[in-house]
Amino acid sequence: MNRLRCALMVIPTAVLITAGTATVASATTGTPSGAPPSSATCVSTTGAKACFAAYGDRVWVKDTKANGESVAGTIKSKLPAHWGRECFNDRGEEGGWVMCNFNVPENQKGELWAVSNPFIGSQAYTDIWTSDFV
């Protein structure tokens, strides 16, 4: 009985610890658009290019390799902020750019990722700021 009581006390504690470290994330499929503005910060990897414009919190993603795999552009915070947004492009290399319009906290340091074949493909990142003044 003592072991059962101890085990039952550990579960709520683990849930509280996990809940306190959760990342607020959202993902969406981008809408077709033109190329990002020249002022956008961009990063490329084999098969994917992603760009971020702080004004409007917009992410553009382009598939750069005809391989049948989707690509993604991800922005996420550096610790301790815990937020992330992901924009998918499944239109293929001939499909051009897609754009996602997100709402992220201002004046925070983050990372912009370009990912080919999300979760298992090539990826690269660069640092960003979520405000257009620094």
Side-chain angles (χ1 to χ4, degrees):
M1 182 70 160
N2 195 17
R3 285 185 181 179
L4 177 61
R5 188 175 349 172
C6 191
L8 290 175
M9 290 178 64
V10 169
I11 292 170
T13 303
V15 169
L16 284 174
I17 291 171
T18 304
T21 60
T23 299
V24 177
S26 68
T28 189
T29 299
T31 56
S33 77
S38 60
S39 60
T41 301
C42 297
V43 64
S44 296
T45 189
T46 301
K49 183 171 185 176
C51 299
F52 173 73
Y55 183 76
D57 300 331
R58 295 171 293 164
V59 173
W60 287 263
V61 187
K62 184 175 183 178
D63 188 334
T64 61
K65 186 175 183 182
N67 59 5
E69 303 295 340
S70 62
V71 296
T74 302
I75 52 174
K76 66 179 192 171
S77 66
K78 298 256 187 175
L79 293 176
H82 300 295
W83 58 262
R85 308 288 187 270
E86 192 158 31
C87 183
F88 288 98
N89 182 342
D90 58 4
R91 298 170 51 84
E93 183 182 28
E94 297 298 318
W97 289 96
V98 300
M99 191 263 301
C100 295
N101 192 352
F102 295 117
N103 185 17
V104 298
E106 296 300 321
N107 201 26
Q108 291 190 8
K109 189 172 184 179
E111 297 172 343
L112 167 67
W113 288 81
V115 182
S116 177
N117 195 3
F119 310 111
I120 60 173
S122 70
Q123 55 190 356
Y125 80 95
T126 189
D127 289 332
I128 58 168
W129 281 94
T130 60
S131 295
D132 54 357
F133 61 89
V134 177

